Amino acid sequence: MPQPSWFNRLSIFAGLAFLYLPIVVLVVYSFNASRLVTVWGGFSTEWYAAAINNQSIVEGAKISFLVAATSATFATALGSLAAIVAVRIRRFRGHHIFNGMLVAPMVMPEVVMGVSMLLMFVTLGIDRGPVTITLAHATFTMCFAAVVMQSRLAELDPSLEEAARDLGCPPFLAFVKVAVPNMLPAFVSAWLLSFTLSLDDLVLSSFTTGPGASTLPMKIYSQIKFGVTPEVNAISTIILGVVVFGLVASRIVSRPSAKSTVAV
Amino acid sequence: MQSYVSIENLSKSFGFFTAVDDVSIGIGKGEFFSLLGPSGCGKSTLLRMIAGFEAPTAGIVRLDGADVTAVPAHRRATNMMFQSYALFPHLSVGKNIAFGLQQDRLARGEIRQRVCEVAEKLQLSALLDRKPQQLSGGQRQRVALARALVKRPKVLLLDEPLGALDKNLRTETQYELVRLQRELGLTFIIVTHDQHEAMTVSSRIAIMRQGKVLQVGSPAEVYETPVSRYVAKFLGEANVFEGVAARRSGNELTIESAEAGGSVFAAATDNVSTSGRFWVSVRPERVELNKQGSGLEGVVEQFSYAGSGRHYRVRLKSGAMLDALRINLGSQDDLSVGDTVFASWMPRAARLLAE
């Protein structure tokens, strides 16, 4: 491999710094002993303790995790069904429109989605709260789950199920016994991705929430209106940790070579 | 003779495309039957209809006398070996082989015994705990075969079973398949596009093109007495010249051919009328090339050395090309590119074709 020139090195360094320096600053200052956000006053974990003892924050975290876990489960289930239709049935009337609409929420402005869902919930007379947030999250994370499932399903040899049928398995059982075990990593991966997307969502949550149901990002957002405290840094760092863990885990699980490295 | 597998007027259309067009074949018990044809000729679709994966648009499939056209794949007494092998990646070799027996709810002891039996026959005993990903191509192929055979099917269907193997292993496996088929006394139906493979393994071959069966017969029958120019050229190589007029004397025909630029000979036959259009076909290995003498005059244009034989492409005076093959018996080669040669053959070496 050719050695990168000084210009290449500088570009990479500048690019990465642009992307990640704010996060590094955030993480570093979450361990700041000083009350002032911008002045370093020595190492301390007191803000983590403060965050964990902050009843309002803990309440928000509980709602966030509950919403994320529930919506991720729905999104994975619905996304899988959509992926099965898209990959297995493939050529049905309107399959182009179906495939397009499946991924459209990925690029749809979140504000538009938020407004439309708010309108829908109001029209249907549904009380807004954790349930409506969950529904909204499931809707927009479903397309990500579907894409993850689609790519895995497309890799799966369709003659596997035919082989199972040939060996005496009825069609549905063939799917359960052969396709599902081989899709397991994709299920986990889709769930984790949906979970992390839901966990840090602010816009959609704000539109679809009701009184007394504030997710963690909403709590943080309302706190910084009164100034950024080191406590917010600490909470953000914790969320960052969870999200990074989720993304890395989802990548590792969905890696196709992960299966072939299983020992004898 | 009552056919064991009987395909009666079977057709399959996908929209406007007819993949299999009114095919009727009878296959006897214990036969090693080949469906041979270029890709897209409908041979795989035909096999999948026998297996029950595709529902025919019209026609009947009979298995051991019973109409199984409406029986779904999982209840048919056929088993298939897939082109991709379709081994279950999440199961070990042993569990892959046992899968079909578990569907039949056999006792554990019997499953174990039958898996061990077939594993031993196919030299897989040491690999039963491995995952398919840890096997070589040849081993995977044997696992796929074992998984289908362990069910003791009435008919084993093989869809391009050796396509993924390299040439040496493929030849080896062809003989192995034939040995296994004889030993078990099973009926095998194989789909292949490799004419050499079909000739090596089969008791009979059906040659297919565009959804239709052109000819069914033993390898020797199909090679020696092809029904058409297409069959003659698909199965091996053939020089084909259109005839203009024929003169019969005893068992021999003398045919005037403008395409060949002279008179050629063929064995007399009553099957082909020489009043309309007809053709003469002769295999390259039966063409004799001499530097002097009689026959069709031409110039050696290309030469290739193929180890077991020497191929010559001769440009005839008429402008047509003639392929000739001299079996390499160790003698010196006396022909080179640019030489003028005379091509001839024994009358019984050539055949008359009506289409």
Side-chain angles (χ1 to χ4, degrees):
Chain A
M1 275 235 296
Q3 280 292 310
S5 71
W6 65 267
F7 180 74
N8 292 150
R9 287 166 202 261
L10 189 71
S11 317
I12 287 174
F13 183 76
L16 289 178
F18 181 74
L19 287 173
Y20 293 108
L21 206 55
I23 292 174
V24 172
V25 170
L26 172 98
V27 172
V28 169
Y29 273 93
S30 73
F31 295 104
N32 192 357
S34 163
R35 180 153 250 308
L36 297 163
V37 189
T38 47
V39 180
W40 182 250
F43 181 83
S44 159
T45 54
E46 65 177 293
W47 301 112
Y48 285 88
I52 288 164
N53 289 321
N54 183 333
Q55 211 46 52
S56 160
I57 293 289
V58 172
E59 202 55 44
K62 271 187 194 164
I63 291 176
S64 269
F65 276 93
L66 191 67
V67 165
T70 318
S71 69
T73 308
F74 275 115
T76 308
L78 293 173
S80 306
L81 292 177
I84 289 167
V85 169
V87 175
R88 282 294 154 87
I89 306 181
R90 241 170 41 215
R91 303 207 155 270
F92 50 93
R93 187 183 280 271
H95 68 277
H96 283 299
I97 297 173
F98 176 81
N99 287 334
M101 289 182 76
L102 195 58
V103 293
M106 274 182 164
V107 289
M108 193 104 72
E110 255 191 280
V111 175
V112 174
M113 282 182 77
V115 172
S116 65
M117 282 191 208
L118 176 63
L119 278 174
M120 185 186 72
F121 291 137
V122 170
T123 313
L124 296 176
I126 299 170
D127 285 337
R128 273 151 291 137
V131 175
T132 50
I133 301 177
T134 306
L135 288 175
H137 283 191
T139 314
F140 106 98
T141 55
M142 189 200 104
C143 59
F144 292 90
V147 169
V148 171
M149 296 306 298
Q150 243 177 330
S151 64
R152 176 66 193 172
L153 252 181
E155 277 173 23
L156 206 63
D157 182 0
S159 51
L160 284 182
E161 280 162 72
E162 282 182 350
R165 278 161 60 198
D166 189 58
L167 295 166
C169 228
F172 181 71
L173 217 56
F175 181 76
V176 172
K177 283 191 174 178
V178 174
V180 171
N182 286 297
M183 278 156 58
L184 215 53
F187 283 128
V188 176
S189 172
W191 193 90
L192 285 169
L193 185 64
S194 307
F195 181 85
T196 46
L197 284 168
S198 161
L199 195 64
D200 67 1
D201 177 78
L202 175 64
V203 179
L204 216 47
S205 311
S206 307
F207 274 103
T208 52
T209 188
S214 293
T215 62
L216 194 53
M218 288 162 73
K219 287 269 164 81
I220 294 168
Y221 185 66
S222 61
Q223 271 212 4
I224 59 163
K225 284 179 189 156
F226 310 109
V228 181
T229 62
E231 198 181 337
V232 170
N233 287 350
I235 301 159
S236 303
T237 306
I238 293 170
I239 297 178
L240 181 72
V242 173
V243 170
V244 166
F245 173 81
L247 286 177
V248 170
S250 124
R251 270 302 186 83
I252 290 174
V253 168
S254 67
R255 203 172 44 188
S257 59
K259 285 185 65 64
S260 52
T261 51
V262 174
V264 185
Chain B
M1 185 189 76
Q2 176 73 40
S3 295
Y4 194 59
V5 181
S6 169
I7 294 154
E8 297 165 16
N9 306 102
L10 209 61
S11 294
K12 175 72 186 180
S13 305
F14 298 100
F16 293 112
F17 175 68
T18 305
V20 173
D21 192 359
D22 196 25
V23 166
S24 296
I25 305 174
I27 299 167
K29 190 168 187 172
E31 263 203 89
F32 201 136
F33 195 88
S34 288
L35 299 171
L36 174 67
S39 60
C41 72
K43 55 192 194 298
S44 283
T45 308
L46 182 55
L47 195 76
R48 289 170 60 79
M49 285 195 282
I50 301 172
F53 291 128
E54 305 281 357
T57 313
I60 293 174
V61 178
R62 273 184 220 283
L63 196 58
D64 200 4
D67 181 352
V68 295
T69 317
V71 176
H74 62 278
R75 292 209 208 94
R76 275 196 204 185
T78 56
N79 281 113
M80 180 137 150
M81 194 185 145
F82 290 82
Q83 188 172 11
S84 65
Y85 306 148
L87 300 178
F88 306 132
H90 61 297
L91 298 178
S92 67
V93 169
K95 285 186 175 153
N96 260 285
I97 300 174
F99 190 91
L101 302 177
Q102 281 164 353
Q103 301 316 310
D104 296 347
R105 306 192 183 287
L106 296 184
R108 272 165 180 268
E110 196 187 347
I111 293 178
R112 188 192 303 267
Q113 191 206 329
R114 275 170 71 172
V115 169
C116 288
E117 223 173 77
V118 79
E120 191 156 341
K121 202 174 259 309
L122 290 164
Q123 296 127 49
L124 291 167
S125 302
L127 306 172
L128 289 178
D129 293 326
R130 298 254 184 107
K131 285 278 175 74
Q133 299 91 317
Q134 299 166 319
L135 303 179
S136 70
Q139 290 168 335
R140 284 180 203 193
Q141 189 264 344
R142 295 210 302 276
V143 176
L145 192 58
R147 190 177 65 178
L149 282 177
V150 79
K151 294 265 292 184
R152 295 177 187 158
K154 284 185 170 170
V155 181
L156 183 72
L157 308 170
L158 304 103
D159 187 4
E160 303 266 5
L162 312 176
L165 303 179
D166 62 50
K167 193 173 174 296
N168 286 338
L169 192 55
R170 191 155 61 207
T171 312
E172 194 75 17
T173 314
Q174 283 165 2
Y175 289 116
E176 179 70 19
L177 272 181
V178 172
R179 188 185 61 83
L180 210 63
Q181 190 260 345
R182 286 213 187 113
E183 232 173 78
L184 300 170
L186 285 176
T187 308
F188 278 27
I189 303 177
I190 185 173
V191 155
T192 179
H193 65 270
D194 181 345
Q195 42 114 343
H196 187 259
E197 182 169 297
M199 308 247 290
T200 309
V201 299
S202 343
S203 55
R204 281 196 307 154
I205 301 174
I207 295 183
M208 293 185 67
R209 184 194 189 192
Q210 290 170 354
K212 288 191 183 291
V213 171
L214 302 178
Q215 188 171 7
V216 180
S218 72
E221 276 166 7
V222 182
Y223 188 79
E224 300 290 345
T225 58
V227 295
S228 66
R229 286 174 290 161
Y230 181 81
V231 173
K233 287 189 169 176
F234 188 76
L235 209 70
E237 274 138 56
N239 297 297
V240 178
F241 302 109
E242 186 169 3
V244 191
R247 210 168 55 248
R248 183 166 182 160
S249 62
N251 288 329
E252 292 172 12
L253 284 174
T254 310
I255 295 150
E256 295 306 319
S257 169
E259 195 181 354
S263 308
V264 295
F265 303 101
T269 171
D270 297 324
N271 299 335
V272 180
S273 147
T274 53
S275 51
R277 291 188 82 186
F278 67 97
W279 289 266
V280 182
S281 153
V282 62
R283 301 282 182 194
E285 71 272 17
R286 293 177 190 171
V287 174
E288 275 180 55
L289 295 180
N290 293 304
K291 282 187 159 175
Q292 286 108 29
S294 61
L296 301 170
E297 191 182 340
V299 176
V300 177
E301 197 168 283
Q302 276 175 33
F303 162 72
S304 72
Y305 179 78
S308 60
R310 296 185 176 97
H311 289 271
Y312 302 91
R313 301 209 83 188
V314 178
R315 174 77 68 186
L316 297 178
K317 271 200 160 161
S318 64
M321 272 292 185
L322 177 87
D323 285 312
L325 173 68
R326 279 185 172 178
I327 302 301
N328 188 355
L329 299 170
S331 57
Q332 273 292 316
D333 186 26
D334 64 340
L335 291 178
S336 46
V337 173
D339 285 355
T340 297
V341 291
F342 296 88
S344 59
W345 52 82
M346 307 289 284
R348 62 183 151 81
R351 273 198 60 78
L352 237 54
L353 303 172
E355 53 177 330

